[in-house]
Amino acid sequence: MLKVLRSFFSDPVFVKKKAFLKSLPLFKELGERELGYVLQAFHSRVYHEGEVLFMEGDIGRALFIIESGRVELTKLDAGGKPKQIVVLGPGDFFGEMALLEQLPRSATATAQEKSHVHLLYRSRIESLLHRHPRIGVSIMTHLAQLLSARLRRATQQLTTSDRVERDL
Amino acid sequence: MGPERRPSIGLIIALAAATVYLAYHLRQILIPFGLSFALAYLANPVVNVFEARGMRRDRIVIMFYLLIAAAISMTASFLLPVVMRELSLLQTNAPGYFKRSSEYLSQVQVMVAHKLPIGQSIVEHWNLQLYTPLIEHFQKLPGYLLGLFPLLSLLFLVPFITFFFLMDSSRIMRDVIQSCPSRWVEQVLHVTTEIDTSMGSYVRSVMIESFLVGLMAFLGLYALNVNYALAIATLVGVSSFVPYAGALLGGTVACTVALFQYGTPLAFLKVALLFLAIRGVDDLLLQPILSKTSVHLHPVAYLLALMIGGEAFGFTGLILGVPAACILKTLFRVGWDFYTSEVLMRSDSPPGLRIPYV
């Protein structure tokens, strides 16, 4: 009886999406119900090949997570020509700083092929922080670790380039 | 930098004016949609709790409706006739109550006129400016409330529309996001999410507060064995949409009823204390919990909203004027935030953190 009821109410699409979220490092520490709340905070969109997700200079307001497809990040060089920074694929996320502050994006994101992307808007994460602090703390901790790692890498790169200049 | 996307202020104002003009002319059609919208906001968090556990939204909504229908059919069949009967009785008896009130007040006036040096002028001023119009309006109160009951004809239409709001809200949002130009997705998401968050919490807090204040009034009046407890509690609940009005109106009516029912000042005092206690619980307990993110209006704005609502829509406008003003304020705030961040590039970050990022 319980099994019949469960199959009557169970939503296979929701379960599949939860499994995808669980596979991401950003949400790996969250439980089943918490993942459900995070999933409700997401908005999904399919971007077709060549569609621009955002342009350099646009105000950033959301974090993007790629479920399928590929997204290219480019930046204009001194001559005004777009220069590829990186190509991101399934499971990658970008634009996470928009969850912390609203400032202009410093690169352009374009779909290289048909891509299914999830967007997490900053006021949704703020709402999660208030209603389900454990979820908010887990996501924010991961973001802080990510930013710390990037800062460390940037410092190392600076030190290395200084040393190379001195050696020359 | 991408090409500039500067929304014109003139266009925004023209769109807002056109929306208000259309809303005014289509108000009769919009009422069921507005009520359904509010109900959907109230029910949505309950549906979300079950959806987060991996349950299908459509089936949760159907089960939710079946449960609500069962609960309503069990209670409404005896509650609604009681409220209607009590209000009709109150309407019939109100002139008698107020006649006795006027007699009592006349005695007080005579006493004031004789005992105070400027008593005569005070009494004349009192009669002209305050007393007569007040008594006229109080006599009409039950009639005003009965006038709201035609809204019950929406009893079938509103749940029907609410059902589709609850079932399809996610799909509608997904379609909106999918169909808007790709570069505008973040901005559309920003505006819709902000409106959704602010309005959702406001509508929910107002409706829950009104219900709880009405319930407290009913239980208190029932315990004190005051006549028309249910009708007065309904009056308190409905008028709670206007801050302070619920306790003030309900308290005045209940005190008058208690005074003439028992004929002692003690009964009057008990009911007055009950409504003071309700006001205290509302201020100290309910509002801090419910209205964390609610909209606050300046007292002048309250007054203006009441006057415009009353002038344009009568008693219904008097009740819904303040909530409508709060919703307008929310829409304006969201629009302004969007405008400042998009056009004026104002950031909410502390100084020193202006580092570009991806």
Side-chain angles (χ1 to χ4, degrees), chain A residues 31-134:
Chain A
E32 284 294 308
R33 203 181 305 168
E34 290 166 335
L35 283 171
Y37 288 125
V38 172
L39 203 51
Q40 282 176 336
F42 272 112
H43 294 281
S44 303
R45 192 185 193 277
V46 174
Y47 289 89
H48 296 280
E49 188 185 343
E51 269 196 308
V52 176
L53 282 75
F54 55 77
M55 284 192 82
E56 199 175 332
D58 288 353
I59 302 292
R61 300 176 193 277
L63 158 82
F64 292 78
I65 298 175
I66 306 169
E67 187 179 334
S68 63
R70 282 187 307 161
V71 173
E72 177 192 43
L73 297 182
T74 56
K75 189 166 172 55
L76 296 177
D77 62 16
K81 286 184 180 170
K83 186 185 166 192
Q84 191 185 81
I85 305 170
V86 69
V87 176
L88 301 168
D92 288 332
F93 60 90
F94 56 98
E96 65 278 0
M97 292 294 284
L99 295 182
L100 304 171
E101 53 184 3
Q102 290 184 70
L103 282 174
R105 302 275 191 196
S106 64
T108 298
T110 314
Q112 274 198 334
E113 58 187 58
K114 188 179 174 184
S115 308
H116 190 190
V117 178
H118 298 288
L119 288 91
L120 182 59
Y121 176 65
R122 60 179 269 159
S123 94
R124 292 283 186 205
I125 204 99
E126 280 165 12
S127 169
L128 279 175
L129 266 169
H130 289 296
R131 285 185 195 166
H132 310 283
R134 218 187 83 82

Side-chain angles (χ1 to χ4, degrees), chain A residues 8-9 11 14 33 40 43 45-46 52 56 58 61-62 97 101 103-106 121-124, chain B residues 1-2 48 51 53-56 59 177-178 180 182-183 186 189-190 193 341-342 348-349 357:
Chain A
F8 177 75
F9 279 109
D11 185 350
F14 203 79
R33 203 181 305 168
Q40 282 176 336
H43 294 281
R45 192 185 193 277
V46 174
V52 176
E56 199 175 332
D58 288 353
R61 300 176 193 277
M97 292 294 284
E101 53 184 3
L103 282 174
R105 302 275 191 196
S106 64
Y121 176 65
R122 60 179 269 159
S123 94
R124 292 283 186 205
Chain B
M1 294 279 280
N48 281 348
E51 195 189 31
R53 292 168 188 235
M55 291 164 84
R56 283 180 60 158
R59 288 172 189 181
I177 289 176
Q178 190 59 52
C180 78
S182 63
R183 241 189 96 194
E186 275 185 275
L189 204 59
H190 169 71
T193 311
S341 62
E342 276 293 308
D348 56 3
S349 309
Y357 58 90

Side-chain angles (χ1 to χ4, degrees), chain B residues 84-100:
Chain B
M84 294 287 281
R85 197 172 53 243
E86 284 194 355
L87 277 174
S88 302
L89 206 62
L90 190 58
Q91 192 181 19
T92 317
N93 291 343
Y97 284 155
F98 287 108
K99 190 166 172 273
R100 284 163 72 184

Side-chain angles (χ1 to χ4, degrees), chain B residues 16 139 145 149 182 212 262 317 334:
Chain B
Q139 282 183 340
L145 263 187
F149 272 79
S182 63
L212 290 177
Y262 292 100
V334 170

